[in-house]
Amino acid sequence: MADRNPGTGGLQRAGVRPPDPHPSGAKPPDIPPELVPRHVALVMDGDGRWARKRGLPRTEGHKEGESSLLDVIMGAIELGIPYLSAYAFSTENWRRSPDEVRFLMGFNRDVIHRRRDLLNDMGVRIRWAGRRPRLWRSVISELEHAEQMSAGNSVLTLQFCVNYGGRAEIADAAAAIAADVAAGNLRAGKIDEKVFLLWQSAYAELVFLDTLWPDFDRRHLWHACEIFASRDRRYGGAEPNPVPAPQDPDLQDLRP
């Protein structure tokens, strides 16, 4: 059974641990439920710049970003956002220095292990999106274990994008479709946008905030959602421009 949690916008089952309140006492904005985004994707950018401004190694920025992610997850639950994706390691991040790549692999693995019980207690379902090749087996193991233990949760679905890239996903989808066609499981004439393109990002709204990820918290998420809710979304349609009614020249002389 699912109920609305008093003080939050999300649905939760009985016995689920509510999110911790923000230290400032901030409450989520009063956004009409129909205007709350169903899926928010977070590009956790700025860890290195945050650390450089403070004369610290880049790894310290990554460490500081862990608490930001946890706070944003709690804020998403409070606002009633059902799906949250966090870009933790992209397919392009392999270009970074070997030392930073090793740190990020171990850090992502440890964050998932360290936070999975708390997330599970809050009713968060954990999913993984990304490629297996090159990814550490220990990272895959933690992701899969977190997926299994949280599979029955429904308050919020948190998707960790680890070794993920948009172009990589398209390439993998094309390869899978080609294999299905070759195996006779799919007719080439049945391939259309619904089985190929990245429909989950169709008509996505982009919001850019001038805040480095380690300084980000649920209040920034809420502000971004307010911006989203204020936008006029027409999905390719348009309303006619108002045009003044034409004046009848024969009536001009009748004016007093």
Side-chain angles (χ1 to χ4, degrees):
M1 177 180 291
D3 297 304
R4 285 211 172 268
N5 179 29
T8 74
L11 291 173
Q12 67 170 22
R13 68 175 189 271
V16 169
R17 182 187 190 280
D20 295 336
H22 191 268
S24 71
K27 301 295 183 183
D30 188 18
I31 300 176
E34 67 273 13
L35 297 180
V36 173
R38 286 188 50 76
H39 187 176
V40 173
L42 301 166
V43 179
M44 300 183 288
D45 189 40
D47 293 355
R49 283 174 288 154
W50 182 92
R52 185 171 64 246
K53 289 170 104 175
R54 292 160 176 77
L56 299 171
R58 291 175 57 85
T59 53
E60 292 304 310
H62 298 315
K63 291 177 184 177
E64 192 70 21
E66 179 182 348
S67 59
S68 296
L69 177 59
L70 184 61
D71 193 75
V72 166
I73 292 169
M74 291 185 177
I77 293 173
E78 287 184 305
L79 190 58
I81 297 170
Y83 297 95
L84 193 68
S85 291
Y87 290 88
F89 189 90
S90 76
T91 50
E92 287 75 26
N93 287 155
W94 294 106
R95 301 172 185 170
R96 298 188 178 184
S97 71
D99 286 342
E100 185 172 359
V101 168
R102 279 192 294 271
F103 172 83
L104 287 170
M105 286 292 105
F107 182 66
N108 283 319
R109 175 196 62 209
D110 295 344
V111 166
I112 296 163
H113 181 83
R114 187 161 50 239
R115 299 296 189 178
R116 69 187 182 195
D117 289 338
L118 173 59
L119 295 174
N120 186 52
D121 290 344
M122 291 193 298
V124 175
R125 182 188 182 196
I126 298 173
R127 301 293 305 275
W128 167 41
R131 285 177 163 179
R132 285 178 174 269
R134 300 184 71 181
L135 197 57
W136 286 11
R137 286 194 297 271
S138 59
V139 178
I140 294 174
S141 177
E142 289 294 344
L143 286 165
E144 291 182 336
H145 182 76
E147 282 188 323
Q148 293 166 7
M149 73 180 294
S150 65
N153 294 337
S154 59
V155 173
L156 178 143
T157 295
L158 172 64
Q159 182 167 248
F160 281 109
C161 300
V162 184
N163 200 23
Y164 172 88
R167 285 181 289 185
E169 186 179 25
I170 292 173
D172 292 346
I177 290 172
D180 282 344
V181 171
N185 298 325
L186 178 66
R187 287 166 43 198
K190 293 295 185 180
I191 299 174
D192 58 17
E193 295 91 340
K194 294 183 180 180
V195 298
F196 184 71
L197 294 180
L198 298 175
W199 273 59
Q200 64 267 37
S201 62
Y203 292 107
E205 295 285 333
L206 302 180
V207 177
F208 298 92
L209 300 181
D210 191 18
T211 305
L212 302 178
W213 178 249
D215 293 327
F216 203 94
D217 66 21
R218 71 186 77 182
R219 295 170 297 181
H220 298 92
L221 171 71
W222 294 339
H223 179 52
C225 291
E226 287 180 303
I227 294 173
F228 171 85
S230 70
R231 291 181 176 174
D232 183 13
R233 310 184 74 220
R234 300 181 182 178
Y235 303 97
E239 297 178 0
N241 291 337
V243 178
Q247 296 288 333
D248 188 340
D250 293 333
L251 298 179
Q252 299 300 313
D253 296 336
L254 298 179
R255 292 180 298 176

